[in-house]
Amino acid sequence: MECVNEKMQHKQLSSFAGIAYIVLLLFLVVMQGGFYADAACIAGIAAAFVAVISFFVNRRNGIASRAPIASYLFIGMGAAALVGSVSAGLSTSYILESSPWFFAGAMAVVSACIPKDARNSALELLGWLGVLSAAIGILMFAGIIPLEGSQNAGRLQFTFQYANAAGIWLAVMATLTMTSEDKHLRVASFFPMMALLLTQSVGAILI
């Protein structure tokens, strides 16, 4: 019985990073993709806490977590942005503007902390969230769900308020769902593909 409880606890803890990763991405999607620096700063602080917690949780469970090289590059870019802003007079706005780099670095660490046994489940859940967001985007484009700025000049902008940014999100979701092992998710990839076409973003479509 004790062994079963330990396995259940391990499973719950190992899913923490994956769930947190998806929640943070969903937060950014709602907040215009983190276009405004304050939103990216909030998400970055949350991601940093998640990264630290995930690291110690994995260490407790005997799972090795190693930060990818990309995380150091992102954090380095953020540090360079802060150093560069010193000459212009360091201010809150400069700190906020550098926050997306630190957020990207923290998210890379969180991604690396997701155990293999939870990664597939996290990707599948992310795929269904992509399908849901695409379906909502189509309804926005049709005028069924009114949202100011969700479309412009006949192009779907979704919550990003920018067609090319929405196109990148939908292109990634379309690729994720089309290559999924879940046949139901592959069928549902129709929605991200349709929403992607509605953005008329040539660059995103080429992805």
Side-chain angles (χ1 to χ4, degrees), residues 84-99:
S85 66
V86 171
S87 59
L90 191 63
S91 64
T92 303
S93 61
Y94 284 122
I95 295 175
L96 289 175
E97 289 298 330
S98 65
S99 62

Side-chain angles (χ1 to χ4, degrees), residues 23 27 70 97 144 171 174 180 189 205:
V23 170
F27 170 78
E97 289 298 330
I144 298 175
S180 173
S189 66
I205 293 173

Side-chain angles (χ1 to χ4, degrees), residues 51-115:
V52 172
I53 293 172
S54 299
F55 176 82
F56 283 107
V57 166
N58 285 351
R59 185 176 181 180
R60 177 184 175 185
N61 292 325
I63 302 173
S65 297
R66 184 175 298 176
I69 296 177
S71 63
Y72 296 107
L73 294 176
F74 288 136
I75 293 173
M77 289 294 293
L82 283 177
V83 172
S85 66
V86 171
S87 59
L90 191 63
S91 64
T92 303
S93 61
Y94 284 122
I95 295 175
L96 289 175
E97 289 298 330
S98 65
S99 62
W101 292 108
F102 291 105
F103 167 71
M107 287 295 278
V109 174
V110 174
S111 177
C113 287
I114 302 175

Side-chain angles (χ1 to χ4, degrees), residues 61-176:
N61 292 325
I63 302 173
S65 297
R66 184 175 298 176
I69 296 177
S71 63
Y72 296 107
L73 294 176
F74 288 136
I75 293 173
M77 289 294 293
L82 283 177
V83 172
S85 66
V86 171
S87 59
L90 191 63
S91 64
T92 303
S93 61
Y94 284 122
I95 295 175
L96 289 175
E97 289 298 330
S98 65
S99 62
W101 292 108
F102 291 105
F103 167 71
M107 287 295 278
V109 174
V110 174
S111 177
C113 287
I114 302 175
K116 292 182 179 180
D117 58 351
R119 191 162 297 167
N120 290 336
S121 298
L123 288 175
E124 185 175 337
L125 178 56
L126 181 60
W128 282 114
L129 288 176
V131 170
L132 177 62
S133 67
I136 293 174
I138 293 172
L139 293 177
M140 288 179 177
F141 187 81
I144 298 175
I145 299 180
L147 178 67
E148 185 178 356
S150 61
Q151 58 175 303
N152 183 42
R155 301 178 67 186
L156 175 64
Q157 298 188 138
F158 193 47
T159 56
F160 294 91
Q161 308 289 296
Y162 190 58
N164 291 335
I168 293 173
W169 164 257
L170 292 167
V172 173
M173 291 301 101
T175 303
L176 179 62

